[in-house]
Amino acid sequence: MKTIKNLRVVLIATLLISVLSACGSKNNNEPSKEASPGASAPSSASQNASPGKPKDIELLNVSYDPTRELYEEYNKSFAEYWKQKTGGKITIKQSHGGSGKQARAVIDGLEADVVTLALGYDIDQIAATGAIKEDWQKSFDDNSTPYTSTIVFLVRKGNPKGIKDWDDLIKDGIQVITPNPKTSGGARWNYLAAWGYATKTLGYDEAQTLDFLKKLFKNVPVLDTGARGSTTTFVEKGIGDVLLAWENEAYLALKEFGDEYEIVTPSLSILAEPPVAIVDKNVDKKGTREAAEEYLKYLYTEEGQEIAAKNFYRPRLQSVADKYKDQFGTLNLLTIDQDFGGWKEAQTKHFADGGTFDQIYTPGS
Amino acid sequence: MTFLRKKDRVLPGLPITLGFTVLYLSLIVLIPLVALAIKSAELSPAEWWNTVTNPRVVASYKLSLLTAFYAGLVNLVFGLLLAWVLVRYKFPGKRIVDGLIDLPFALPTAVAGIALTTIYAPKGWVGSLLQPLGIKVAYSPLGITIALIFIGIPFVVRTVQPVLQDMETDMEEAAATLGAYRARTFFRIVLPELIPPLLTGFALAFARGIGEYGSVVFISGNMPMKTEIAPLLIITKLEQFQYAQAAAVAVVLLLISFGLLLLINILQRWSNRRLRTAKGG
Amino acid sequence: MGGIVTNPRAGKSKPIRPHLTEPRVVRYVLIGIALLFLGLIVILPMAAVIAEAFRKGWDAYVSALSNKDAMSALKLTLLTALIAVPLNTLFGVAAAWAVTKFSFRGKNLLVTLIDLPFAVSPVVSGLIYVLLFGAQGFLGPWLSDHNIHIIFATPGIVLATMFVTFPFVARELIPLMEAQGVQDEEAAVSLGARGWRVFFKVTLPNIKWGLLYGMILCNARAMGEFGAVSVVSGHIRGETNTLPLHIEILYNEYQFSAAFAVASMLMLLAVVTLIVKSILESRMSREEH
C-alpha cells in the first residue's frame, strides 16, 4: 500500500515535469515554423533543408519604445532589398519597450541579433557582460548612430502659457510633463538638456543649476515610467502645459493627434544619439552575422536615411538632411561626450543612487 | 469532539497530498524565491541595510503598506456587504452582479489602471465632479487606494460567499424564535462564523495590494517620497542594472507580507478552533 | 450535528424565510449601497473600457480583434491558461486535502507559503525566474548550452503565470473544507469506502462550487496577468506576446481604441467562463432535484 502511494507521488511529479519540458521543446520548434509561413508554402518543412536555395533568415531587433513606426517601415524596405540582393527571404521580428528594460532582457538571454536602443549607456551594459564587443561604438559610422534626435517642447495649440525656453518651465503655475529619468531613457536626455541649459545660463554654478532643476521638477505633477506614458498623460489625459519629448515623438504626436498641439524649440538642447549594435554572442550562435551587419548598414543608405527622416529622426546623410531641412529647425546642441563627459560619467553624477536627480527629491537637501 | 484527535488515522491520502503539495510548492514558489534571497545576498550587510533603509525606500514601503491596508479595510466592509446581499437577498440582475465581481481578476492590471485613471483623472468622468470639491483622486495616495480596492474586492467576496452560502440557518432561526433582534443575531451569531473567511479575504487583498504594480503606476503619479510605491522602486533599481539592490528591496517587501500573512493565518486557525469548540460545547 | 450525511449543502438557493431576513427597507438600502460601491469601483472602469473600445466604431473594433498579432496573442494566452489552470487545480485540491483533513506540525507555515504568491509583487514573480533561468542566472549557462529556452519563450510565460495563480484553488477550498470538517469522509470510511472513492463520492460533491470558483478565478487571473509575464516575455511581436502585453503595445502605439477592444475581448472571455459556470450550476441543481 505504501509503495503504491509513493509511486503515485512520483507519477504526478513526472507528469508535471514532462508537461513543462514538453512545452519547452515545443517552443523551440515554433520560431522556425513561423519563419517560413506554412500557409503559403505547404512544403515548408523541407524548404529549409534543400541546399540549393538560399536559407531563410530571421533576425530579432530589440529596440526602444518610440521606434515602432520607424522599424515597421524600415523592415519592409530592408526585406525587399535583401531579397533583391541575395534572393533569400528575411523576416525581422521586433521587440519594443523601455530602453533599459530591453537592454536587461538581452543581458538575461533574449536572443537579439541587433539592438537599437535609446542611449549608449544601455548598450554599454550589455557589452559589460561580453555579449557585445567592447568597442561596439566604432563598428559603424557616426558613433554607430545612424540617426539622431533632440529634445523639444510640445505645448497646447496657440501656446497659451507663452512657453519659449527652459527658464519658462520653472515659473509658477506651469505644469511640466516628463517621464522619470530613473526608468526612461528619453527622460535622461530631457534632464541633461535642462541641466546643460541651466549650467550655461547660470554661469556654471552647480548649486544654482541644481536649484533650477529642483524648481523645474516641482512643476512636474506626474512622473510616468516611459516616454510614451508621458505623451499619453499630456495628450489623452490633458494634464500639463508642456511636454518635454523626443523631437520624433513630438512630431508623431502632432501627426497622430492633429492640430491641437505645437512644437516649441528651445534656444539650447541636446543631441540625442540612439545607437545601434550587433549582439555578437547571438549572431555567432545563430550564424546571422552577415545579415545583421547588412541590416544595420542599410540604415546608413539613402533609403534607410529617408525612412528615418520620414519618421522624424534627423538623418546623418547630407543629401537626405538637405531634403528634409525644413522639417527640422536648426538648434544649438550640446553633446553627451563633450558637455557631460560621456554616458558613464553622466549616469554616475546624475542618475545613480544619490545622484543629482535623487537630491532633488530628498527632503532637507 | 473526539474525532479531532483521531482523525489522522482514519482518512487516507496524507502522504500523497502532502508530498505533492510540498513538491509543487518547492518547484514553483520556494526555489525561485530562494534565488531572490541569494541574489540579494550579493550585497555586503552594510550595503544591504543602506539599500533598504534609504529614506525613499522607506517612504515607499510606508505608502504601499498604508494604501494596501486602507484598501483592505474598505474591501472588508464592502466585500462582506456584497457577499451578504448576493447570498441572502433576491433582486433582479443578481446573476450579473455576481459575475461582475470576478472581472477585476480578468482585466489585465494595466488596463484597469488606464481605465481607472480615465475615470478619476481631473478631467475624467468622476474626477471632474470631485475636482471642484477639492478632492484629488488620481495622482494621489487616494488614487492608489482606489486601484487597490479594485484589485482586492474579489478576494473578500469570494472567500466569504461560499462560507455564507453553506452556513446553516439553525442558529439564526433559534435566535429569532427566542426573540433576538435581527442586528443582534447578525453580530452575535453570523459574524463570528464569518470571521475566518473575512480575515482570509482581508489578508489576501492586503497582501496583493502591497505588491501590486500594473494598475497603480498609471494612477499614482509616481512622485518620489509621495506617491512612489515599493514595486516601482524595484523596477527603478532594475533599470539601473542593480539586480542585487532590487532583490534586497523585494526581499524586505516579501518578509513584511509573509509575516502579516502568517500572523493572520495563525489568528484565523485559532478563531476557527475556538468557534468549533464553542459550537460543539 | 444531525443530517450531515444527507448533505444539506446541496441545495444552492435556500428559500428566504421572513423571520430570517431584514425589513424590506434595510434590504433595499443594503442592496443599494452594495451596488453603488460596485458601480464606482468595478462597473465604471468596465464601462470606460467598452466605451473606449467602440469609440472608432464597430469596424475598427472587429479589425483590432482579427489582427494577426492579436490572434497569436490570444492563442498564447489560451495555451498558458490551459497548462497553468489544471496544474494549479490539482495542486489546490491536494493541498486543501492535506491541510484540512489532517493535523501536522508546520501547518500554519505551509498555508502561509501557499498564500505567498499573492503577496509577491508581480514584478518580483517575473524577476525570480529571470534570476533562475536568465543568461546571468543560476541555471542560465547550462540551459544555454543545451539550447533550452525557458524565459523569453512560452515555458517562462507559463511558469510566471503558474506562480501568480498558484494559490487560487487552494485558497478557495481551504476555508470551505475547514468549515465542513471531516465527519462526512469519516462516515464514508467507517462504511468501508476507500481512497479516491471517498474523495469523489463524498468530498467532491461538497466542494464542487468552491472548486469551480477557484478554477474560474485562477483562469481569469491567468489570462489577465500582466506584470510578471511582462518581465519574462521579451515582447517579441507575434511570438511571445500574450493578450495583456498586446494591449500594452497597442496602447503605446496610440491605438487606444484597438487596445481597449482587445481588453474587452479579455472581459468577454471572463464572461464566457461565467456563463459556462451558471449553465453547469443549473444543470447540476436540476439533477439533484
Side-chain angles (χ1 to χ4, degrees), chain C residues 27 46 63 65 86 102 117 133 137 140 178 182 184 209 212 261 264 270:
Chain C
R27 252 171 21 221
M46 303 292 164
S63 79
L65 296 192
F102 305 97
F133 300 118
E178 191 92 43
V182 292
D184 292 10
W209 297 121
L212 199 62
S264 74

Side-chain angles (χ1 to χ4, degrees), chain B residues 243-257:
Chain B
Y243 284 65
Q245 275 94 331
V249 175
V251 164
V252 172
L253 204 60
L254 202 64
L255 287 177
I256 295 175
S257 335

Side-chain angles (χ1 to χ4, degrees), chain A residues 27-28 93-95 101 108 228, chain C residues 135 149 154 230 234 239 252:
Chain A
N27 187 267
N28 285 344
K93 297 212 164 234
Q94 282 296 139
S95 167
K101 186 179 177 187
D108 287 325
R228 282 277 154 109
Chain C
H149 295 84
T154 312
S230 164
E239 202 171 303
N252 276 340

Side-chain angles (χ1 to χ4, degrees), chain A residues 149-160 162-165 231 234-235 241-256 258-267 269 311-312 314 326-331:
Chain A
S149 192
T150 184
I151 299 301
V152 296
F153 303 163
L154 191 69
V155 296
R156 301 193 186 276
K157 187 76 191 169
N159 198 355
I163 293 158
K164 293 266 172 287
D165 209 346
T231 314
F234 184 72
V235 172
D241 303 304
V242 51
L243 170 76
L244 308 186
W246 293 95
E247 186 179 43
N248 51 294
E249 278 286 283
Y251 275 109
L252 188 70
L254 279 191
K255 192 174 134 192
E256 294 278 337
D259 293 333
E260 295 163 54
Y261 308 95
E262 53 188 71
I263 290 174
V264 171
T265 318
S267 66
S269 192
N311 284 284
F312 314 111
R314 294 184 174 226
D326 293 342
Q327 180 174 318
F328 303 111
T330 39
L331 268 166

Side-chain angles (χ1 to χ4, degrees), chain A residues 149-202:
Chain A
S149 192
T150 184
I151 299 301
V152 296
F153 303 163
L154 191 69
V155 296
R156 301 193 186 276
K157 187 76 191 169
N159 198 355
K161 299 268 169 123
I163 293 158
K164 293 266 172 287
D165 209 346
W166 292 100
D167 44 12
D168 293 321
L169 302 185
I170 62 166
K171 289 180 180 158
D172 284 341
I174 300 283
Q175 283 197 322
V176 184
I177 304 294
T178 168
N180 188 340
K182 290 244 178 187
T183 50
S184 155
R188 274 176 236 176
W189 292 113
N190 292 349
Y191 186 92
L192 290 179
W195 184 276
Y197 172 87
T199 306
K200 290 223 158 144
T201 47
L202 298 171

Side-chain angles (χ1 to χ4, degrees), chain A residues 7-66:
Chain A
L7 205 80
R8 279 190 198 139
V9 177
V10 174
L11 209 76
I12 290 168
T14 345
L15 197 82
L16 180 74
I17 289 160
S18 62
V19 168
L20 276 178
S21 54
C23 67
S25 60
K26 188 169 67 203
N27 187 267
N28 285 344
N29 301 332
E30 238 164 31
S32 64
K33 194 174 71 198
E34 283 183 22
S36 52
S40 57
S43 62
S44 61
S46 59
Q47 205 178 35
N48 285 351
S50 60
K53 261 181 146 181
K55 220 169 45 168
D56 283 357
I57 295 179
E58 187 182 283
L59 292 182
L60 175 60
N61 176 3
V62 171
S63 194
Y64 63 113
D65 260 326

Side-chain angles (χ1 to χ4, degrees), chain B residues 132-147:
Chain B
L133 306 174
I135 303 170
K136 194 180 165 205
V137 182
Y139 314 121
S140 76
L142 183 60
I144 302 176
T145 311
I146 287 196

Side-chain angles (χ1 to χ4, degrees), chain C residues 51 126 149 196 286:
Chain C
H149 295 84
W196 296 106
R286 223 179 305 139

